[in-house]
Amino acid sequence: MAVDAVIIGLGYVGLPLAQEATRAGRKVLGFDINQHVVDELNAGRSHIDDLSDADVAQMVAGGFEATTDESRLGEAAAAVICVPTPLSQDGGPDLRAVEAAVDAVARQLRPGMLVVLESTTYPGTTDEVVRPRLEAGGLVAGVDFYLAFSPERIDPGNAKFGAKNTPKVVGGHTPACAEAAAEFYGVFVEQVVRAKGTREAETAKLLENTYRHINIALVNEMARFCHELGIDLWDVINAAKSKPFGFQAFYPGPGVGGHCIPIDPNYLSHNVRARLGYPFRFVELAQEINSQMPAYVVQRVQDLLNEDGKPLKGSAVLLLGVTYKPNIADQRESPAVPLARQLLAKGANVQYHDPHVPSWGPLGGQAVRVEDPTAGVAEADLTVLVQNHREYDVDLLAKTATRFFDTRGVAPEGAKVHRL
């Protein structure tokens, strides 16, 4: 059976995409450089939150296969690149994984093939980095093969929107490339939105996340001065969002996490500085504000302990929820990490609980895991709700705690409860 598509990178983006294509009856090959991931998937076992073992087993039964064999990329009619693009040392995107994936495709490229980049990056990457590498063998984009960019929009843990019903933005190197990409995605995605070109599609993803980044920074800064002024910001937001137009609610927190919000806007900021020589001030200010939130939480913790006549040094501080968003195990860029590190640096006895994280690697064992959160909050000098997982009975935990610092605005008001 011919392979309709090879998905390169089988993580939070690539695997749900492969699932939907397989469900639509397409023969899908998954490629990843991690042999353990490939072996687990072929055995019907998932390694991401959004797909269960049963989901992966169903994919395998439907013809999905994972491989580390690069030579098999040439079997596919379409190659979709879904590899990570973390920040480099200079603040721009680290494109090494993208370049490696593109080079692998280039070695197997054949006439008529569709190549799509989904990895988030700066405007111009598809045309300036991907296209020359693919064309090095003599085939020409838009003439001999099709090239497009389609930004990933996966929101891990979102039960309402997934790969199928989230509109898919597509920008082609040429109109024919856009048509080929739209036809490919249209088989298993409900709505395809065509951008003018690859740069517009690349920038659309950055605009989406920059919008969120800046608005989160706005409410994070408001949280600080509202506390000083004795204003309940959570009540302010509830009142403001009653307006049926012109306002979208964003909420403060202990920092921002995940692969998108704390990282993607920096691609745009870095690109503006590098190409145009001036700063993207909104993004840089938002980054400054959001990155300061863990330190602000530490200061609030210290102030609350002072009210009980306790120093932060030597006090037991329990962190509840250390993932970057609720109800998933994903810890990428979680603000719980800098928060815990700063507490440790000030001499606190840091403990944590998270139903999705049995072992917290980034802290290297410096944070002790509490097995029972209810018993843990009763024994800790202060508890910080960092992430509100559905498994937590926040009312009970807040009532049981010596001091309860709620960074998510969900705990009932009380003498022992304090909000961000």
Side-chain angles (χ1 to χ4, degrees):
M1 182 179 178
V3 175
D4 294 302
V6 57
I7 310 297
I8 302 170
L10 300 175
Y12 286 89
V13 176
L15 201 56
L17 192 70
Q19 180 190 35
E20 290 302 335
T22 303
R23 280 176 172 172
R26 298 294 169 170
K27 171 63 177 175
V28 180
L29 179 68
F31 176 84
D32 202 285
I33 60 174
N34 188 321
Q35 187 66 55
H36 176 70
V37 167
V38 165
D39 291 342
E40 289 291 286
L41 291 174
N42 286 331
R45 290 187 289 270
S46 177
H47 65 288
I48 68 170
D49 292 295
D50 288 351
L51 273 71
S52 66
D53 289 352
D55 290 329
V56 174
Q58 188 177 46
M59 290 172 62
V60 173
F64 172 78
E65 179 187 359
T67 184
T68 56
D69 182 359
E70 178 192 303
S71 67
R72 297 199 58 194
L73 302 184
E75 299 175 20
V80 184
I81 299 170
C82 304
V83 297
T85 48
L87 288 179
S88 62
Q89 291 293 328
D90 66 353
D94 182 344
L95 295 181
R96 286 177 295 180
V98 169
E99 291 168 348
V102 172
D103 289 345
V105 172
R107 288 189 287 268
Q108 311 300 326
L109 188 64
R110 54 184 176 77
M113 199 170 183
L114 167 66
V115 181
V116 183
L117 177 64
E118 286 208 7
S119 304
T120 306
T121 183
Y122 63 85
T125 302
T126 306
D127 187 53
E128 298 166 8
V129 176
V130 176
R131 183 172 63 83
R133 293 178 114 89
L134 293 175
E135 291 182 339
L139 297 180
V140 178
V143 177
D144 303 305
F145 68 94
Y146 303 105
L147 175 64
F149 182 83
S150 180
E152 61 91 356
R153 282 173 154 178
I154 294 296
D155 183 20
N158 192 323
K160 184 176 181 181
F161 291 104
K164 182 178 178 64
N165 64 347
T166 301
K168 202 82 177 79
V169 173
V170 167
H173 175 63
T174 65
C177 292
E179 181 64 31
E183 183 179 349
F184 168 72
Y185 284 113
V187 173
F188 57 91
V189 176
E190 292 178 0
Q191 181 183 0
V192 175
V193 178
R194 301 194 190 203
K196 186 176 181 180
T198 57
R199 292 171 190 264
E200 286 75 16
E202 289 162 340
T203 309
K205 172 62 187 295
L206 299 182
L207 175 60
E208 294 169 17
N209 287 332
T210 299
Y211 170 81
R212 293 173 62 195
H213 187 52
I214 289 171
N215 280 282
I216 291 169
L218 170 65
V219 292
N220 275 339
E221 188 159 42
M222 288 190 72
R224 301 178 71 156
F225 70 70
C226 280
H227 170 68
E228 296 295 328
L229 296 172
I231 298 169
D232 186 339
L233 177 61
W234 304 94
D235 189 63
V236 170
I237 295 171
N238 285 335
K241 74 178 183 181
S242 66
K243 186 178 182 180
F245 54 89
F247 180 81
Q248 180 181 354
F250 287 83
Y251 298 91
V256 292
H259 178 69
C260 294
I261 304 305
I263 294 179
D264 292 1
N266 289 292
Y267 298 160
L268 196 52
S269 176
H270 180 271
N271 195 236
V272 169
R273 272 193 179 274
R275 289 176 178 259
L276 303 178
Y278 55 80
F280 190 171
R281 290 184 292 169
F282 266 123
V283 168
E284 294 185 6
L285 180 59
Q287 181 65 24
E288 179 185 334
I289 292 169
N290 288 335
S291 64
Q292 289 174 351
M293 289 308 290
Y296 174 67
V297 172
V298 171
Q299 182 60 57
R300 289 286 303 276
V301 167
Q302 193 165 22
D303 292 344
L304 290 171
L305 287 169
N306 283 343
E307 292 181 17
D308 290 336
K310 299 175 181 178
L312 178 55
K313 185 175 182 179
S315 289
V317 179
L318 173 61
L319 306 181
L320 295 178
V322 297
T323 58
Y324 91 86
K325 67 183 298 188
N327 311 319
I328 64 172
D330 196 343
Q331 301 172 50
R332 291 177 296 174
E333 307 298 326
S334 171
V337 174
L339 172 56
R341 285 178 175 157
Q342 291 182 46
L343 287 168
L344 287 164
K346 290 183 178 294
N349 173 16
V350 178
Q351 304 167 347
Y352 86 97
H353 177 273
D354 193 304
H356 303 275
V357 183
S359 177
W360 197 14
L363 271 294
Q366 294 181 82
V368 178
R369 189 176 199 276
V370 170
E371 296 302 324
D372 181 356
T374 307
V377 299
E379 296 172 4
D381 293 301
L382 185 143
T383 297
V384 183
L385 181 66
V386 183
Q387 198 55 262
N388 182 29
H389 294 302
R390 66 169 67 95
E391 289 87 349
Y392 290 145
D393 183 342
V394 176
D395 289 13
L396 176 62
L397 293 171
K399 187 183 301 182
T400 308
T402 304
R403 285 268 189 178
F404 195 86
F405 184 33
D406 175 16
T407 72
R408 297 298 176 180
V410 293
E413 293 189 59
K416 299 186 296 182
V417 176
H418 309 270
R419 286 182 171 183
L420 187 64

